[in-house]
């Protein structure tokens, strides 16, 4: 992440099409989304009639906007920082660097900037950023972006795009677990919910099975929203889910061993976390009932 793209004189087209100068794999990006025109000593950006628009420093643009050093550009779910580089090379111009997250709106911006360009808040946090400088999982921020993109793609009925995104997101989680890294429990729950939604949209049970399995392997309890969506899976796929639920129950009955992969407790924002162990017991009871329902339907 945090890649550099040189802007030569003339037009640079940004969009989802492979014909663009900068191609973005993002369901919220139009085929030809935006254009940056560089002439003489200035650059300006314009929206090319995209479906979701272009934002500069948090503001949606309607007309071409001249870009200034450190301007933030949002296209789809992608963030860009515009940097004016000395063409003669007489001064050092760092075109990449580390980002921080705004504590107020959670948008990333360069550490060198005193206030968030999006909301102008000055409270800062050094938690998860694209550069991985945070204290937890190095790719947590990009994982959340993929989850957001996946949810939007599913809502728009773009199943092909959604499947590509869910494959990338689940692969990232698998790589994190294989490396012995930690994962945020909210992210695990959010991705498992969208994975079940992917099964409902694509009629492929593999994603719902993965959702159950990732909670089993990370020893976290699926939130009520995930259990509810699992109950909506068509009966023809329930034998596959039944096996995943059996494995989940077996793991729950096996004492956990200390591991660097151990996740923190379920976040208080989770609807199953209101009463700690009681909430886990309630969710476990719901899963057992779901397994019985699968047996009765089978």
């Amino acid at each position: 992440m945090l890649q550099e793209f040189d802007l030569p004189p003339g037009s640079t087209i940004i969009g989802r099409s492979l014909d663009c100068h900068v191609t973005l794999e993002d369901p919220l990006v139009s085929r030809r989304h935006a254009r940056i025109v560089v002439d003489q000593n200035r650059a300006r950006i314009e929206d090319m009639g995209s479906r979701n628009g272009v934002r500069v420093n948090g503001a949606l643009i309607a007309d071409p906007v001249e870009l200034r050093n450190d301007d933030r550009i949002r296209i789809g779910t992608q963030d860009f920082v515009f940097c004016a580089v000395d063409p003669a090379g007489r001064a050092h111009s760092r075109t990449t660097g580390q980002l921080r997250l705004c504590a107020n709106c959670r948008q990333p911006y360069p550490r060198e900037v005193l206030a968030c360009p999006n909301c102008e808040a000055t409270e800062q946090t050094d938690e998860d950023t694209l550069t991985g400088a945070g204290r937890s999982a190095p790719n947590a921020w990009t994982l959340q972006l993929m989850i957001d993109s996946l949810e939007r793609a599913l809502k728009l009925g773009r199943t092909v795009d959604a499947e590509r995104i869910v494959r990338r997101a689940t692969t990232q989680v698998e790589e994190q677990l294989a490396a012995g890294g930690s994962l945020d429990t909210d992210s695990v729950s959010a991705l498992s919910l969208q994975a079940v939604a992917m099964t409902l949209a694509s009629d492929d049970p593999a994603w719902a099975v993965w959702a159950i399995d990732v909670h089993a392997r990370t020893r976290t309890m699926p939130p009520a929203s995930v259990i509810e969506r699992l109950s909506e899976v068509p009966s023809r796929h329930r034998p596959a889910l039944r096996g995943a639920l059996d494995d989940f129950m077996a793991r729950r009955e096996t004492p956990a061993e200390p591991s660097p992969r151990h996740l923190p407790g379920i976040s208080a924002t989770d609807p199953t976390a209101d009463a700690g162990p009681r909430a886990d017991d309630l969710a476990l009871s719901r899963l057992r009932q779901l397994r019985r329902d699968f047996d009765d339907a089978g």
Side-chain angles (χ1 to χ4, degrees):
M1 309 305 289
L2 209 60
Q3 300 177 54
E4 296 179 4
F5 300 97
D6 291 329
L7 297 173
S11 294
T12 297
I13 307 297
I14 303 172
R16 204 175 71 252
S17 172
L18 295 176
D19 297 331
C20 295
H21 299 98
V22 178
T23 301
L24 304 176
E25 284 192 27
D26 186 330
L28 300 185
V29 174
S30 299
R31 292 184 60 80
R32 292 167 65 87
H33 197 109
R35 171 169 46 218
I36 298 179
V37 179
V38 177
D39 54 31
Q40 298 179 349
N41 293 321
R42 67 172 189 163
R44 64 184 184 277
I45 187 169
E46 58 184 286
D47 188 347
M48 298 181 69
S50 67
R51 184 175 62 254
N52 294 305
V54 176
R55 292 183 180 272
V56 176
N57 297 327
L60 197 64
I61 67 172
D63 301 310
V65 171
E66 186 168 346
L67 294 172
R68 302 182 184 278
N69 192 50
D70 284 337
D71 275 351
R72 297 304 302 272
I73 302 166
R74 168 63 69 94
I75 297 176
T77 62
Q78 314 298 312
D79 263 318
F80 298 86
V81 181
F82 176 77
C83 301
V85 181
D86 184 353
R90 290 187 296 269
H92 174 66
S93 298
R94 189 173 69 175
T95 56
T96 61
Q98 292 192 339
L99 303 179
R100 68 167 79 247
L101 290 180
C102 172
N104 180 49
C105 70
R106 306 298 294 176
Q107 295 298 314
Y109 65 95
R111 291 176 183 269
E112 295 80 4
V113 178
L114 297 179
C116 172
N118 183 56
C119 69
E120 299 184 354
T122 57
E123 186 178 356
Q124 302 166 341
T125 175
D126 288 332
E127 295 176 358
D128 308 312
T129 65
L130 285 176
T131 60
R135 294 186 295 272
S136 54
N139 292 319
W141 192 81
T142 55
L143 177 60
Q144 188 56 53
L145 277 182
M146 283 191 281
I147 294 170
D148 292 344
S149 297
L150 172 58
E151 182 177 9
R152 292 188 182 99
L154 287 170
K155 286 181 178 178
L156 292 170
R158 301 180 64 167
T159 307
V160 174
D161 288 331
E163 188 164 7
R164 183 172 64 249
I165 297 169
V166 73
R167 198 175 301 279
R168 290 171 57 193
T170 53
T171 296
Q172 179 169 305
V173 168
E174 293 298 331
E175 290 174 350
Q176 195 76 9
L177 290 173
S182 62
L183 287 167
D184 176 64
T185 51
D186 286 344
S187 296
V188 171
S189 296
L191 182 55
S192 65
L193 177 61
Q194 297 308 319
V196 179
M198 187 72 234
T199 284
L200 297 176
S202 66
D203 201 35
D204 183 351
W207 301 115
V209 169
W210 182 90
I212 300 171
D213 181 63
V214 74
H215 282 286
R217 286 182 291 137
T218 56
R219 293 185 178 273
T220 56
M221 185 63 66
S225 55
V226 172
I227 299 173
E228 181 64 29
R229 295 312 302 270
L230 285 170
S231 68
E232 300 173 17
V233 173
S235 58
R236 61 182 173 278
H237 298 319
R238 290 184 173 181
L241 269 62
R242 177 66 160 76
L245 285 172
D246 286 345
D247 182 63
F248 179 89
M249 298 301 180
R251 287 176 184 259
R252 291 290 299 184
E253 294 169 1
T254 304
E257 297 179 359
S259 168
R261 300 178 190 176
H262 179 66
L263 300 184
I266 295 293
S267 167
T269 59
D270 194 303
T272 67
D274 297 336
R278 285 189 178 182
D280 278 1
D281 290 344
L282 178 59
L284 190 59
S285 175
R286 289 175 178 171
L287 284 175
R288 286 173 176 154
Q289 181 61 52
L290 183 63
R291 187 172 61 170
R292 288 193 292 269
D293 291 343
F294 284 2
D295 289 340
D296 293 341

